[in-house]
């Protein structure tokens, strides 16, 4: 009995076609996910930098600096000027003066969790290539 399948359609060709279709369908999903992750990068970079500066403030002065900044606004913390990224709002609360917590949100309604200073596990410098000699 003769096969009704065309001669060019072998299992190998079918696997290659299926793989190509899978990648073609997955590509837009991956691009959308990457775009969403790129959109929140400035927000989380600001949170990391502010938590680092608050940690330095606690080490140098013994207390944190409560902050509420909108996009583009600046504040001086631990001897450094911090400016919120475009579209990012930064909040710092300190229920205890030496334990600040930082939360950020952006113009797309993305909101981070509160990141609180842990004296047992202090944050690392988000920009180690730019050390601040005043804090050394």
């Amino acid at each position: 009995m003769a096969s009704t399948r065309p001669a060019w359609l072998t299992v190998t060709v079918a696997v290659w076609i299926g793989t190509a279709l899978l990648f073609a369908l997955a590509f837009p999903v991956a691009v959308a996910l990457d775009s969403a992750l790129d959109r929140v990068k400035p927000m989380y970079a600001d949170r990391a930098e502010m938590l680092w500066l608050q940690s330095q403030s606690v080490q140098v002065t013994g207390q944190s600096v409560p902050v509420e900044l909108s996009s583009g606004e600046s504040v001086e913390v631990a001897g450094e000027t911090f400016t919120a990224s475009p579209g990012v709002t930064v909040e710092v609360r300190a229920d205890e003066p030496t334990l600040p917590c930082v939360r950020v949100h952006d113009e797309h309604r993305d909101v981070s969790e509160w990141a609180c200073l842990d004296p047992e596990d202090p944050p690392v410098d988000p920009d180690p290539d730019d050390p601040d000699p005043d804090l050394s």
Side-chain angles (χ1 to χ4, degrees), residues 25-94:
L25 293 173
F27 184 74
V29 173
V31 169
L33 179 61
D34 184 53
S35 176
L37 292 174
D38 283 346
R39 183 179 79 194
V40 297
K41 277 184 183 178
M43 188 177 83
Y44 284 101
D46 279 5
R47 185 178 77 166
E49 184 177 355
M50 180 54 74
L51 190 59
W52 166 253
L53 291 172
Q54 292 289 336
S55 168
Q56 297 306 300
S57 179
V58 168
Q59 286 180 8
V60 173
T61 68
Q63 61 183 2
S64 60
V65 180
V67 171
E68 200 164 315
L69 295 176
S70 295
S71 175
E73 292 182 335
S74 298
V75 67
E76 187 170 313
V77 179
E80 285 193 38
T81 301
F82 171 86
T83 303
S85 296
V88 176
T89 300
V90 179
E91 297 175 68
V92 178
R93 73 166 196 230

Side-chain angles (χ1 to χ4, degrees), residues 107-122:
E107 60 199 358
H108 305 288
R109 299 185 183 183
D110 298 309
V111 180
S112 75
E113 296 289 322
W114 286 100
C116 297
L117 180 62
D118 179 358
E120 301 298 318
D121 186 22

